[in-house]
Amino acid sequence: MSEILIVYYSRTGNVAQLARLVARGVEEVPGMRARPRSVPPVAPLTEIAAPPVPDEGAPYVTPADLRECAGLILGSPTRFGNMAAPLKHFLDSTGAEWASGALVGKPAAAFTSTATMHGGQESTLLTMLLPLLHHGALIVGLPYTEAALNTTRAGGTPYGASHVAGANADRAIGDEAKILARALGRRVATIAAKLGS
């Protein structure tokens, strides 16, 4: 089976929930499997190194994951209209994979969660797509043929799946956002399967 790598950072759990939905979409494509991976938190001053394996959730991503995957989907909460620092820190460490072309020609996409509808969903998705373009990945979005994209009021853009979590990060992921997250996983997996055949 070919694997789609889903790399995400989640602080309150909303991005992790989206990652699980994206993974479900990936696994709806015959011959494709999701490989969920997280990134460790970062801080301005590190006193203790993060453990090599998180206490719970998906294992931390490694450079080998990038080389072995058939496609990549990134997820992050919004931080001032940008991806969160832990995901950016990981991407900044992928120079060797960039130099070797580990992601060249592989389909890639992004998903996010924000506190408010205008909290930077689209700009955050775009910031995650820019490094993927530099890596030579093939960017995959959500087309308006996805009916939920035309009716959603709580997240979802042509740039990728999204969710409005509310100021306290306690708003449940709505049906349309669930549909769009799964659709994003399916699209990347379907394209990866076609490219691999």
Side-chain angles (χ1 to χ4, degrees), residues 80-109:
F80 300 104
N82 204 329
M83 73 180 98
L87 186 62
K88 178 73 164 72
H89 180 71
F90 166 71
L91 290 170
D92 286 347
S93 73
T94 62
E97 290 68 38
W98 168 80
S100 69
L103 294 174
V104 171
K106 295 179 181 180

Side-chain angles (χ1 to χ4, degrees), residues 39 61 94 100 110 115 120 127 146 165 188:
V39 294
V61 66
T94 62
S100 69
T127 66
E146 291 292 337
V188 172

